[in-house]
Amino acid sequence: MSDAALSRADLKRGRTLAWLALAAALLAAAAIGAVLSDRAAVAPAAMNETMYPGFAESSADAASIRIESPTVIVTLNKDPGGRWVVAERSGYPANAEGVRALMLSMAQLRLIERRTADPARHAALELTTGAAGTGHAVTVTAADGSVLAALVAGKVQARAAGSSPGTLFVRRGGEDQTWLARGVVAIPASIGATLDKTLFALDEARVKTVRVEPRGLQSYTLTRPAPGGDFALDAVPDGKVAQPPQILQTPASAVAGLVFEDVIKADAVEVAEATTVAFTTFDGLVVTLTLVPGGPGGAYGLIGAAVDEALAAAAPPPAEGAATSDAGAEAAAINSRVGGWAYKLPTYVLTNLVPPLETLVADKPAEAAPEAPPAPPQ
């Protein structure tokens, strides 16, 4: 039968079949697209994107950093002078290098794989927050309260090694979508780790005398004749001898490398019946530590500086090319830095700063018996 001979019914039937075929094709395409779309949503999508585009620049506008993790909850604020301080420690100076490292590490995070968006699976990736959370949340805000970056850092998949920065799971604050990211986040492990640990610089060789007055124990003084010389113990008990010089210099070495764990306001501690230790330099600087009990983990130390005017006046001029020493200016700088604060000192520091007298002496060696005279000839 020729096309011309097709009836109106045949033509109508053919057009209907053609529309049905087209509809079927469209439905099939839609189904394939849906499957592909579903796969894209489920399967990890490889990428290499900065987690916080522009944060490297906008971090300069940061005015506050809130850190909440299983080991630390702390707020760091920028004071009117542009200095970072720790809110939970009455505005004590923060570790500026640590703040810079934290924000730089956030700016350098790169997303490499999309992972789950199911909140029920956040715990497995250590990305939960709140009282029982296992994630490390960091929120950086500007002075106007706008959020510059909000991060939840979770489980480390691969630790940094050599030139490889490692990988970890992350998500943005307020979002359920999780990611595998390349990088490492420099989050402090405690409030103490956020503090500026700089106290003062005191070269051990400058120390002339160390006067130790332990609470309830015998006091003693260590003295050396010249900078860098050996210390001598002022009063050695009967039947004892002083320990070697490398042991006697322990307190001077301890103050030169003094470190602390935490800090509180000085008026929060009771200083009655305290132990004191004073370090006097050859050019007249006197640094005194007043030590009070602070629990089994150490004690609190209050630090003050003064000037021994007689020593300062008698100090010889510095050698040509050496730095000029001004005990008065140095004492003022130390007091400005540490005045009004009580520093939590670990036990090992206390042991080195104020060793008991009995640890600085040893039993006197027994005298050798005189040789017997030779026997007379027979």
Side-chain angles (χ1 to χ4, degrees):
M1 180 182 299
S2 67
D3 291 342
L6 290 174
S7 66
R8 292 179 180 268
D10 292 330
L11 294 174
K12 184 177 180 180
R13 188 181 303 111
R15 286 193 294 268
T16 301
L17 292 173
W19 283 112
L20 290 174
L22 178 59
L26 291 174
L27 287 172
I32 292 171
V35 170
L36 293 176
S37 176
D38 183 65
R39 286 181 180 174
V42 173
M47 58 185 68
N48 186 22
E49 300 176 359
T50 301
M51 186 170 186
Y52 298 105
F55 182 63
E57 294 75 24
S58 66
S59 62
D61 299 325
S64 181
I65 303 173
R66 177 70 173 175
I67 302 170
E68 298 183 32
S69 80
T71 60
V72 60
I73 297 177
V74 66
T75 302
L76 310 178
N77 294 321
K78 190 179 288 186
D79 70 8
R83 181 182 64 168
W84 285 99
V85 298
V86 183
E88 287 77 5
R89 291 299 179 265
S90 304
Y92 193 84
N95 178 358
E97 282 301 308
V99 172
R100 189 189 72 83
L102 172 58
M103 291 199 289
L104 180 61
S105 67
M106 292 174 64
Q108 293 178 338
L109 280 176
R110 302 192 71 84
L111 306 180
I112 55 177
E113 284 185 7
R114 181 191 299 270
R115 291 301 177 95
T116 182
D118 182 1
R121 299 178 63 188
H122 286 177
L125 301 180
E126 298 178 7
L127 288 172
T128 54
T129 57
T134 55
H136 303 267
V138 183
T139 304
V140 183
T141 56
D144 62 3
S146 59
V147 176
L148 301 176
L151 167 73
V152 181
K155 191 174 187 177
V156 174
Q157 185 198 56
R159 296 192 177 278
S163 60
S164 174
T167 55
L168 74 162
F169 295 99
V170 299
R171 65 182 177 90
R172 296 185 180 94
E175 297 182 5
D176 292 333
Q177 180 62 58
T178 67
W179 311 83
L180 182 63
R182 182 177 292 112
V184 61
V185 184
I187 296 176
S190 64
I191 290 183
T194 69
L195 301 170
D196 183 352
K197 297 301 181 69
T198 304
L199 288 174
F200 52 84
L202 181 60
D203 186 355
E204 179 270 338
R206 291 176 59 193
V207 178
K208 174 180 174 64
T209 64
V210 181
R211 176 63 179 171
V212 179
E213 298 181 3
R215 180 172 61 91
L217 298 174
Q218 183 178 344
S219 301
Y220 60 87
T221 301
L222 297 164
T223 306
R224 61 167 32 137
D230 292 338
F231 281 102
L233 184 60
D234 67 333
V236 180
D238 291 341
K240 302 286 185 178
V241 294
Q243 292 279 16
Q246 60 267 31
I247 295 180
L248 298 183
Q249 75 176 21
T250 298
S253 298
V255 76
L258 189 63
V259 296
F260 68 96
E261 295 178 330
D262 209 341
V263 66
I264 57 176
K265 297 295 286 186
D267 57 12
V269 300
E270 175 60 55
V271 296
E273 299 183 356
T275 291
T276 63
V277 53
F279 301 86
T280 302
T281 67
F282 285 93
D283 53 357
L285 175 67
V286 183
V287 177
T288 301
L289 279 76
T290 302
L291 308 172
V292 297
Y300 282 96
L302 289 79
I303 305 171
V307 178
D308 183 316
E309 298 292 352
L311 282 176
E320 184 177 353
T324 302
S325 175
D326 184 340
E330 192 172 2
I334 292 173
N335 288 331
S336 175
R337 174 77 183 182
V338 303
W341 299 101
Y343 296 90
K344 181 71 176 292
L345 306 176
T347 300
Y348 77 90
V349 170
L350 297 172
T351 301
N352 292 331
L353 278 174
V354 288
L357 178 59
E358 58 264 27
T359 67
L360 300 180
V361 296
D363 292 332
K364 182 180 292 185
E367 295 183 3
E371 293 183 8
Q378 297 295 325

